Amino acid sequence: MSTPSLLAVFAHPDDESLSAGGVLARHAAAGARTAVVTATWARDTPRAAELADALHILGAGKPRLLGYADSRVPSSSPGGPRFLDVPLDEAVRELVGHIRDVRPEIVVTHDAYGGLTGHEDHVHTHRVTLLAVHAAGLERRYPDTGEPWQPSALYLATHPHSAVRTWSGQLAPTGKAMHTVPDENVTATVDVTPWLERKVAAILAHRTEVRRGAVPGLIAALTVSERERLLGTEWYVRHDPVTRASPQTELLS
């Protein structure tokens, strides 16, 4: 059975490594086509260059940046609009173009909470991705963006309630609230410890975030065993799009 192609769609550079770095590395190592679309930050910024390094480590190709501004960092796209302020149809159209270009069997994105931190850009990326996954398969929606392509499965990167104890000690110093889902909502629990070294290296490639003490900076300060405890498992909720998925579109778990 061949490994399904995978497209990850996340809000900021580093989200891909933190939320789905293990799955991306695992699918790439198995020979699957993998790619990442990032909603914010312009191509000529340092964080875009760091994203390129991270994707190289994960085997996920070159960055695909929508180039909009991070809602909290205007300098992320000088003179450009915030991702939150772009007309919804415009953002969906652009993402549909990437889906039709990559033609993935699986799409992965943030859950409805926007992950543990609930960042508003994460939540908006979730909304845009759900709409784009459905629209990509409709021949009369955005016909100028390529031939229709319907991904067979959509997975939402998440954390179950049972992970609170593990993560709370690390996020407590940042003052961030945590958004988790009931354990029974999780449909794919993926052991990514064989790819943990690559995942951690991709996280640490986001040097700007390490230096400013964001989550990659917290990861940098951990021991190997602590990194395994926090990052060795990834959780996903399956959200089926229009068509019923075949067995070949399961995440490797």
Side-chain angles (χ1 to χ4, degrees):
M1 183 182 297
S2 61
T3 305
S5 53
L6 179 67
L7 173 66
V9 184
F10 288 104
H12 311 113
D14 82 357
D15 291 335
E16 80 299 324
S17 301
L18 288 164
S19 298
V23 158
L24 283 164
R26 185 171 186 171
H27 278 243
R33 289 184 295 106
T34 60
V36 175
V37 172
T38 307
T40 66
W41 290 78
R43 287 176 171 78
D44 57 352
T45 58
R47 289 197 64 185
E50 294 166 0
L51 175 63
D53 292 341
L55 297 188
H56 178 74
I57 292 167
L58 296 174
K62 295 182 179 180
R64 292 171 173 264
L65 291 149
L66 302 189
Y68 299 119
D70 182 316
S71 64
R72 304 178 187 179
V73 188
S75 62
S76 59
S77 183
R82 298 191 316 161
F83 182 46
L84 288 176
D85 298 333
V86 173
L88 183 60
D89 194 60
E90 178 181 326
V92 171
R93 173 190 293 275
E94 191 164 3
L95 183 52
V96 165
H98 286 285
I99 292 172
R100 289 175 174 173
D101 183 47
V102 177
R103 304 177 77 78
E105 295 167 84
I106 295 175
V107 174
V108 173
T109 192
H110 300 284
D111 69 8
Y113 284 126
L116 280 178
T117 63
H119 193 294
E120 61 270 19
D121 286 341
H122 296 187
V123 175
H124 193 53
T125 300
H126 165 84
R127 296 189 192 110
V128 170
T129 303
L130 261 61
L131 291 171
V133 165
H134 284 271
L138 302 175
E139 61 181 11
R140 295 186 181 180
R141 293 299 290 162
Y142 316 114
D144 57 327
T145 65
E147 292 297 315
W149 174 260
Q150 181 61 69
S152 297
L154 173 64
Y155 282 89
L156 311 178
T158 196
H159 285 79
H161 290 339
S162 59
V164 168
R165 182 175 301 178
T166 301
W167 273 92
S168 60
Q170 301 304 322
L171 290 181
T174 69
K176 294 181 181 295
M178 291 190 298
H179 301 78
T180 57
V181 302
D183 285 53
E184 58 267 26
N185 287 12
V186 173
T187 51
T189 299
V190 187
D191 176 10
V192 298
T193 51
W195 296 271
L196 186 59
E197 185 176 347
R198 195 174 299 180
K199 177 178 177 176
V200 170
I203 291 170
L204 300 185
H206 294 282
R207 295 172 292 278
T208 299
E209 296 299 274
V210 172
R211 287 193 297 270
R212 78 179 188 91
V215 174
L218 301 178
I219 300 301
L222 298 179
T223 65
V224 172
S225 62
E226 289 172 330
R227 290 173 179 174
E228 183 172 342
R229 181 168 57 88
L230 257 67
L231 302 169
T233 302
E234 293 176 3
W235 299 273
Y236 299 88
V237 176
R238 183 163 176 151
H239 183 97
D240 281 330
V242 175
T243 57
R244 184 174 180 179
S246 66
Q248 285 78 19
T249 58
E250 294 293 340
L251 282 173
L252 288 175
S253 60

